[in-house]
Amino acid sequence: MKTRYRADTPDDMMKVSQFLSNAYSKLKRPNSWLIGRWEFEIFFFQKRAGVLSQWERYIGLWEYENGELAAIACKDGDFYFQLDTEDPEEGLLMEMFEFIESLSNSREGVSCKLDIPITIPKLEDMARNRGYVLLNERDNAASITFDRDFPVVIPPGIFLRCGEEVSDTAKAQGHIMAFNYPGTVKAQEVLKYYGGIREAPHYIPDLDLSLVNEQGEVVSFCNVFIDELNRIGIFEPVGTHIDYRRRGLGRAVIYESLNRLRSMGIVKAYTGPMQPFYERIGFEIEVDMNVWSKANDPEEVPY
């Protein structure tokens, strides 16, 4: 069937989420994003801060004549193509390349970076033919299956909390300290707008876990979205306060989440990109992505 491009709108959120879920069902593995990353992008900061429209301009949708989605291009630092096949039509891919290149070319000096799963060699060949070069960078999706109970060891003086039991301010501060950006403009914004994640369609309070110290500070945390169709969980976000690392807190809060997921009938969970910590606690890389880059051409006309 023929496809046509159109811009994303706020009304497309659930349509895209359903496409990502269906794509996983077809491929039996992530293409790149899962529903957790999509909803995190929207609700963690952008929607409450009123800047969602700025992010949405980097999203392109391609639909079949019957209105069903065929593909999506989106951006989180790098660009990503969301596809439900590993043998996409070349004409469709060409339009997607033109879309992301036009957005990069609209800002002088900005290169176009695209993360491509190694399972789609056609896409890599097209990138190479369009002048992209392979960078020494990688992205990936890591997974863990539930074939056992996971031991949860929480040290004295640390307490498990979930959902509304922890304030937005404490959660925001926990995120700031986990990713080490206190005192920045970004920290001020996160403190002001944190909490929108609870508005996400697939948010579940019992899977929004925090470990807090005796002062009520969040010292480790994770949230898990659930894709019920595929019986998978998606961790987004995950972090541990920089002063509380190497105490087993990250392992404890993730393992508690895995046990809860297993009791709900979920069979696998995803995170990414892979880090030594994730590998130590049992995650394995499931999908590798290469990063390709093309220098911008300011003479090209935006899409």
Side-chain angles (χ1 to χ4, degrees), residues 141-144 274 278-279 282-287:
S143 65
I144 187 170
M274 176 65 94
Y278 291 135
E279 187 173 12
F283 283 85
E284 297 179 351
I285 293 177
E286 186 167 323
V287 175

Side-chain angles (χ1 to χ4, degrees), residues 97-98 101-102 105-106 130 294-302:
F97 272 111
E98 290 171 353
E101 289 165 11
S102 69
N105 296 335
S106 65
R130 294 182 70 88
K294 180 182 180 181
N296 76 322
D297 181 356
E299 295 183 358
E300 292 188 16
V301 179

Side-chain angles (χ1 to χ4, degrees), residues 23-25 27-32 34 86 117-119 139-146 230-233 267-275 278 282-289:
Y24 184 95
S25 296
L27 299 172
K28 306 306 179 186
R29 60 171 171 256
N31 170 267
S32 57
L34 297 168
E86 293 178 348
I118 63 174
T119 54
D139 197 358
N140 55 61
S143 65
I144 187 170
T145 54
F146 309 155
N230 297 297
R231 298 172 65 197
I232 59 173
V267 299
K268 181 184 286 190
Y270 286 89
T271 190
M274 176 65 94
Q275 301 175 26
Y278 291 135
F283 283 85
E284 297 179 351
I285 293 177
E286 186 167 323
V287 175
D288 261 316
M289 287 176 273

Side-chain angles (χ1 to χ4, degrees), residues 230-259:
N230 297 297
R231 298 172 65 197
I232 59 173
I234 305 100
F235 281 90
E236 196 74 67
V238 178
T240 297
H241 191 300
I242 56 173
D243 295 334
Y244 283 81
R245 292 177 183 168
R246 298 190 179 278
R247 303 187 190 184
L249 302 182
R251 179 191 299 264
V253 75
I254 288 176
Y255 277 4
E256 174 65 24
S257 296
L258 296 180
N259 288 335

Side-chain angles (χ1 to χ4, degrees), residues 1-9 12 15 19 59-73 89 91-96 98-99 303:
M1 287 189 290
K2 292 183 178 180
T3 60
R4 64 178 180 87
Y5 160 83
R6 71 171 174 85
D8 178 74
T9 73
D12 291 313
K15 188 171 185 176
F19 174 84
I59 302 170
L61 307 181
W62 282 262
E63 292 180 327
Y64 295 115
E65 294 173 336
N66 63 4
E68 292 182 5
L69 284 176
I72 303 155
E89 293 291 333
L92 170 62
L93 293 180
M94 185 169 295
E95 288 190 18
M96 297 178 76
E98 290 171 353
F99 172 77
Y303 197 86

